[in-house]
Amino acid sequence: MSGTLKVTTLQDGASSTANLTFDANGNTTAGGTLAMSSSFLRNRIINGNMTIDQRNAGASVTPTDGQYLVDRWVASLTAASKYTAQQGTLTPSSTNGYNSNSLNITSSSAYSISSSDIFAISQKVEGFNFYDMGWGTASAKTVTLSFWVYSSLTGTFGGCFVNSAQTRAYPFTYTISSANTWTSISVTVPGDTSGTWVGATNGIGVRVFWSLGVGSTYSTTANAWAAGTYFAPTGATSVVGTSGATFYITGVQLEVGTKATPFEQRLYGTELVLCQRYYFALSAAIYGAINTYPSSAQQLASDLWWPVTMRTAPTVAATGTQAINSIGLTTQNKTSVLQTVNNGGIAGISTATASAEL
Amino acid sequence: MYTNAQYIAFNGVNTSIRVDINGVTSFVPLDPANTDYANIMQLVAEGKLTIAPAEGAQQ
């Protein structure tokens, strides 16, 4: 049967109340528990709408390889100064109103990529947030990746799903038909039943790349799992190949199943805390961990606690109101900052960052 | 880019590595899951980086 079935309720024969009730405004009410094969809080990508930018606060950067652009989004590059990156601001109507920010890439030159070049952005999803996909087993689940993209270029673009060891790859393609127009993309990927995936650990559960220009050595056939180190499908558009070319992305969602659902809008505080599991930047100087005005120079320690348990013990960099001698034992929860406080000085931490990125 | 690496010790036990990462003095815990620590150990294994012993440690 096809067409439209017009009813106001659906009810099991043994039930005393309607299972589903429909109204004239398009609303649906479930009479009992609504069980789905996927859950709410289904997006495995963090900062998919590029709202959190602790490192750069919206400033443009010319990244080095491995540099973070906005929180959780990292640059890959094999030659310096071929593109810049910056958090962008969107108007509500740009992408169905779901996203306030974007990650904006701009090509700095017309660079001809060599066979071994890699230019890309990616996100590494922690194993604890992806193990239930069962990749590497016979029960591997299909996932769907969706995002909004905007480019001055048109054509076939590419990306790739990669495991932690970079020995398994699923390159995918997508098409941008209209230049300078936000376009909604959805890519469905069958789960990998082979290879080694880290499972429920704090390692890299899966890494998703978006190619900005990848050479032939690291490109292979699209839409199939491959054994080897690949980051893009063969023939994908090179953004770094055109001077001034733009590539903007937002609304990135990775979820179980074959259908892309509307972008999951998380509260700002929730998204910030999710990011701070991997990176934390002290927003302002703090004092009072030690209230002392020593009559002579003393070495003092003050504890700096992270706002959330980090993925692993982080790398710490800090400056203080007094010279910082060293950072003491660092854990997933805190570190100790050792300062020599001079006569009449006040111990304080001026700046601090903690990185536990994958 | 990792340069000027040195162990930091408390009570004679190494607890972290002080190292300049792209010119920023940073402290890296001795945790294999820490990406910087893993990178440093790989550089050491490849002979591209040496970690000086902690101050006061016996050579």
Side-chain angles (χ1 to χ4, degrees):
Chain A
M1 184 180 77
S2 62
T4 301
L5 177 64
K6 294 188 177 183
V7 296
T8 54
T9 60
L10 290 175
Q11 184 169 336
D12 182 86
S15 173
S16 60
T17 59
N19 295 64
L20 290 176
T21 302
F22 309 96
D23 69 20
N25 295 319
N27 301 309
T28 302
T29 301
T33 300
L34 186 62
M36 303 185 298
S37 59
S38 65
S39 63
F40 294 104
L41 298 176
R42 61 199 178 283
N43 190 3
R44 309 310 169 94
I45 295 291
I46 295 174
N47 202 24
N49 58 359
M50 317 296 176
T51 300
I52 311 297
D53 188 12
Q54 294 184 85
R55 292 172 180 82
N56 305 312
S60 177
V61 295
T62 301
T64 57
D65 185 43
Q67 183 172 340
Y68 278 78
L69 308 173
V70 294
D71 278 53
R72 305 297 299 123
W73 292 91
V74 63
S76 296
L77 50 103
T78 47
S81 304
K82 303 308 176 193
Y83 67 88
T84 62
Q86 184 173 23
Q87 182 190 48
T89 301
L90 298 174
T91 57
S93 60
S94 300
T95 57
N96 279 355
Y98 294 128
N99 308 290
S100 58
N101 296 98
S102 57
L103 174 56
N104 296 356
I105 305 295
T106 303
S107 174
S108 302
S109 64
Y111 179 70
S112 297
I113 59 172
S114 69
S115 60
S116 59
D117 270 329
I118 302 166
F119 298 94
I121 58 171
S122 67
Q123 181 161 141
K124 304 168 189 175
V125 178
E126 187 174 346
F128 284 127
N129 297 335
F130 196 73
Y131 74 93
D132 57 315
M133 300 302 152
W135 286 20
T137 75
S139 303
K141 295 179 181 176
T142 296
V143 299
T144 294
L145 177 70
S146 55
F147 52 96
W148 287 85
V149 66
Y150 174 110
S151 177
S152 61
L153 306 175
T154 59
T156 302
F157 291 70
C160 197
F161 285 73
V162 176
N163 68 346
S164 178
Q166 299 185 354
T167 54
R168 299 289 297 172
Y170 187 97
F172 62 85
T173 60
Y174 59 95
T175 301
I176 300 177
S177 302
S178 300
N180 301 321
T181 303
W182 280 104
T183 305
S184 177
I185 304 292
S186 175
V187 178
T188 296
V189 176
D192 187 13
T193 57
S194 301
T196 299
W197 297 81
V198 301
T201 74
N202 65 350
I204 299 173
V206 69
R207 186 172 182 179
V208 187
F209 285 87
W210 281 259
S211 170
L212 304 173
V214 173
S216 58
T217 299
Y218 299 110
S219 300
T220 191
T221 306
N223 304 324
W225 281 105
T229 305
Y230 302 106
F231 304 108
T234 301
T237 298
S238 171
V239 176
V240 297
T242 301
S243 182
T246 56
F247 178 88
Y248 303 165
I249 186 169
T250 191
V252 185
Q253 180 151 292
L254 176 62
E255 59 194 307
V256 68
T258 59
K259 181 172 179 57
T261 61
F263 183 76
E264 183 177 81
Q265 188 69 50
R266 292 189 283 245
L267 298 179
Y268 181 86
T270 301
E271 203 74 51
L272 177 60
V273 166
L274 292 175
C275 291
Q276 287 176 330
R277 176 171 170 79
Y278 305 92
Y279 183 85
F280 165 67
L282 193 65
S283 58
I286 55 173
Y287 302 92
I290 299 171
N291 291 309
T292 182
Y293 298 88
S295 57
S296 60
Q298 295 181 19
Q299 179 165 288
L300 300 170
S302 52
D303 283 345
L304 179 60
W305 289 80
W306 319 134
V308 62
T309 299
M310 301 192 77
R311 182 189 67 86
T312 189
T315 297
V316 180
T319 61
T321 56
Q322 307 278 312
I324 288 180
N325 296 335
S326 67
I327 302 293
L329 185 64
T330 299
T331 71
Q332 288 175 274
N333 299 107
K334 75 176 184 71
T335 194
S336 297
V337 179
L338 303 179
Q339 292 175 284
T340 296
V341 181
N342 297 313
N343 185 5
I346 302 174
I349 301 170
S350 303
T351 66
T353 62
S355 176
E357 293 286 2
L358 283 156
Chain B
M1 175 70 76
Y2 301 90
T3 55
N4 301 323
Q6 182 180 25
Y7 281 109
I8 298 295
F10 286 90
N11 296 324
V13 178
N14 290 337
T15 58
S16 64
I17 299 169
R18 180 169 55 204
V19 61
D20 291 341
I21 303 177
N22 295 323
V24 177
T25 300
S26 303
F27 294 83
V28 178
L30 309 183
D31 181 344
N34 180 291
T35 307
D36 290 313
Y37 180 75
N39 292 340
I40 289 169
M41 288 299 106
Q42 183 172 346
L43 291 172
V44 170
E46 294 171 350
K48 298 176 180 175
L49 181 69
T50 300
I51 307 173
E55 291 179 3
Q58 292 183 340
Q59 301 292 313

